[in-house]
Amino acid sequence: MNSVEKYLTDNYEHALEDLKAFCRIPSVSTDPAFRKGIREAAEFVANRLKKAGFASVEVWDTGGHPAVYGEVISDPALPTILVYGHYDVQPPDPLDKWTTPPFEPTIRDDRLYARGVSDDKGPLLIPILVVEAYLKNEGRLPVNLKILIEGEEESGSEHFEPTLERNRDRLDCDLVVSADGAMWRPDRPSMTVASRGMAALDVTITGASKDLHSGRHGGSAPNPIRALSRLIALLHDAEGRVKVPGFMEGAKPLDPTILTAIDAANFDADAYYRDIGSPKPDPIENGDQLLVRQWLEPTLEFNGIYGGYQGPGTKTVIPSSASVKITCRLVAGQKPSKVVEAITRYLETSLPSGYSLEIEPHGFGSEAFSVDPNLPGLIAAESVLAELLGSSPLRVAMGATIPIGTAFRKHLGAEAIFFSFSTSDEDYHAPNEFFRLSNFRMGLIAWARLLSRLADHPKLEPTARI
């Protein structure tokens, strides 16, 4: 164990307290009620970068929530790595489903429970702590390192790409390493090499201009809940696949390399349904079919539906409007704007008479992403995981969306890899989100070795850019 790794091990308890402090900040980006928490989280990150020894730390105005930037330039001749992460988190609702309060970090069974601890505060804090360990023990980093931490990842990253474009010279790098993402399973090392894109929209159907008494007007007045239920039932076939005309426009064939990984994974469909606490559908799909759906097929999901009275007891009204929140996960070749257009056309042509329809897209969406299978940075990261975990990591796709891969490629001309130590079963976006502290400890050592390995990789030299 070298001095950097020893320092990280010896100072683990201090690192854990830092993580707890970070997780106490309610930095929900999508809800204006948490604006104060967003500011506090950005300040926390900036102060932690300064404490770690970053030579330059700046808080950037993005037009939305601030981004935090830092850099340590050891030697211009060395490769330059840009680390990405986000300090914002998902809303904690429903609060009554949490065993302990979402912003009061609690350890149970070597797991830290808190909103945002796995996505992305725990994984994000790791490279910051590793930089501190290098600077305190060796006085320099083995690479030049820049870090960009945004505050809108959980709400669509509306201002992220303009921020990249405005600061492309400052962010110039040889490789992006994302601390965001997740390993596929806790029992098998993996590297995410593909992710789905996303489009998001709100759909609202309006009938009368105000809520109406259901006795006086029932049977004659339009009921938007009934109309909305009818409309959204048209969007899928009996097997749950999207049947919106034009939805699949531009979609590319399934990636055969990912199909090979799916075959090697031996995914247990029965265990999957047990883990999520759901009755098994009949007939149940096998594990390979489930992974194809989760990784390689597009989706259209209803994230929330509402209209009319939501309180206890009864209120006899016909609501004036009803709404549904929709997100779509997209595959390679699909364009978010075209997907929204297809859904809009289908809903407009299917709308019953007597109602009006309003559709509000959220941001510009993001396209699907894939990593070059021969990327030197990917190979270096895989070698670190194999060394620490005893077996070569499986290359997997991700059903979720991490839009930064395509954004960095577009605006900086740099490729990105995902080096996160959260795992996909840690209930991020759900109540009782947790982060395995064993992964926190392992991630510290892994990041330390990765920075050293990237410095030694000849193909990462600035004269031979990826």
Side-chain angles (χ1 to χ4, degrees):
M1 181 180 292
N2 61 33
S3 60
V4 171
E5 293 183 13
K6 185 177 186 304
Y7 177 89
L8 290 167
T9 301
D10 291 346
N11 286 274
Y12 165 73
E13 292 298 331
H14 295 297
L16 181 57
E17 291 306 310
D18 279 346
L19 179 54
K20 289 179 181 178
F22 197 8
C23 291
R24 289 189 186 101
I25 303 172
S27 50
V28 179
S29 60
T30 193
D31 186 345
F34 290 88
R35 193 177 303 276
K36 180 182 177 182
I38 285 289
R39 290 196 301 270
E40 289 179 0
E43 291 169 1
F44 178 94
V45 171
N47 290 333
R48 195 60 188 81
L49 293 179
K50 293 174 184 175
K51 180 181 176 183
F54 279 76
S56 174
V57 177
E58 302 169 14
V59 178
W60 289 350
D61 180 11
T62 68
H65 299 321
V68 183
Y69 173 77
E71 65 178 36
V72 180
I73 306 301
S74 299
D75 182 345
L78 292 172
T80 298
I81 308 304
L82 175 62
V83 174
Y84 166 84
H86 65 90
Y87 64 79
D88 65 316
V89 304
Q90 283 277 316
D93 311 77
L95 294 175
D96 62 331
K97 299 296 184 182
W98 285 79
T99 301
T100 51
F103 296 109
E104 294 180 14
T106 305
I107 295 176
R108 299 194 297 273
D109 299 323
D110 203 38
R111 298 174 172 186
L112 183 61
Y113 287 81
R115 169 53 85 230
V117 66
S118 177
D119 183 19
D120 174 44
K121 290 181 176 179
L124 166 60
L125 187 59
I126 290 172
I128 299 173
L129 295 168
V130 168
V131 168
E132 181 177 62
Y134 266 107
L135 295 178
K136 284 185 178 295
N137 288 275
E138 297 190 357
R140 67 195 297 271
L141 298 179
V143 295
N144 302 312
L145 190 139
K146 301 176 180 180
I147 189 165
L148 179 63
I149 304 165
E150 69 160 318
E152 296 182 337
E153 197 276 342
E154 299 291 5
S155 54
S157 295
E158 180 180 356
H159 299 91
F160 185 66
E161 291 199 40
T163 298
L164 293 184
E165 183 61 30
R166 284 195 305 271
N167 298 280
R168 60 189 309 169
D169 292 337
R170 296 289 305 278
L171 297 169
D172 183 50
C173 62
D174 298 291
L175 177 71
V176 178
V177 183
S178 173
D180 190 25
M183 289 196 184
W184 176 46
R185 287 182 357 202
D187 61 338
R188 182 161 189 174
S190 63
M191 287 291 295
T192 298
V193 296
S195 64
R196 292 189 290 192
M198 189 170 76
L201 59 152
D202 289 352
V203 176
T204 300
I205 292 179
T206 301
S209 62
K210 58 186 177 181
D211 288 358
L212 301 173
H213 190 288
S214 65
R216 168 70 177 83
H217 300 280
S220 57
N223 190 315
I225 293 178
R226 183 173 68 244
L228 181 64
S229 301
R230 177 180 170 184
L231 271 186
I232 64 176
L234 299 174
L235 301 180
H236 299 86
D237 63 19
E239 295 182 343
R241 288 184 169 87
V242 184
K243 65 173 187 178
V244 175
F247 183 83
M248 293 295 295
E249 180 182 339
K252 296 179 180 178
L254 302 182
D255 184 343
T257 62
I258 301 298
L259 291 174
T260 301
I262 287 174
D263 184 60
N266 296 317
F267 188 59
D268 187 337
D270 292 301
Y272 166 76
Y273 284 105
R274 285 197 302 272
D275 288 345
I276 67 172
S278 168
K280 293 187 298 184
D282 185 24
I284 188 172
E285 293 178 308
N286 64 37
D288 288 1
Q289 291 169 325
L290 282 181
L291 288 187
V292 167
R293 279 209 183 201
Q294 291 180 4
W295 293 359
L296 300 174
E297 291 185 4
T299 69
L300 187 160
E301 295 293 350
F302 308 128
N303 309 124
I305 184 168
Y306 47 94
Y309 179 62
Q310 304 291 320
T314 299
K315 184 179 182 183
T316 54
V317 296
I318 299 172
S320 62
S321 65
S323 302
V324 62
K325 287 185 175 292
I326 294 175
T327 52
C328 303
R329 302 293 178 168
L330 312 180
V331 299
Q334 285 182 295
K335 304 294 184 185
S337 61
K338 295 294 185 182
V339 167
V340 172
E341 288 174 9
I343 296 171
T344 300
R345 282 195 307 270
Y346 191 49
L347 292 177
E348 287 176 342
T349 58
S350 305
L351 183 69
S353 59
Y355 299 91
S356 62
L357 176 70
E358 179 184 357
I359 295 179
E360 179 186 358
H362 288 281
F364 301 103
S366 57
E367 297 182 25
F369 172 73
S370 61
V371 179
D372 178 351
N374 298 312
L375 188 68
L378 174 64
I379 295 169
E382 288 177 329
S383 70
V384 170
L385 292 180
E387 181 179 280
L388 284 172
L389 297 170
S391 61
S392 297
L394 184 67
R395 292 185 176 184
V396 302
M398 177 184 286
T401 301
I402 305 182
I404 55 102
T406 53
F408 284 120
R409 181 181 291 160
K410 175 182 177 182
H411 296 283
L412 305 183
E415 296 298 309
I417 62 170
F418 300 100
F419 201 62
S420 171
F421 285 85
S422 64
T423 54
S424 60
D425 67 333
E426 289 177 338
D427 290 330
Y428 41 81
H429 294 210
N432 300 306
E433 178 178 355
F434 67 92
F435 186 41
R436 288 179 174 84
L437 294 179
S438 58
N439 282 358
F440 188 41
R441 294 186 288 268
M442 179 177 63
L444 292 166
I445 305 303
W447 268 90
R449 294 186 185 182
L450 177 64
L451 295 187
S452 176
R453 201 146 302 178
L454 292 175
D456 295 337
H457 207 300
K459 291 186 179 181
L460 282 178
E461 292 179 2
T463 54
R465 302 295 284 264
I466 293 176

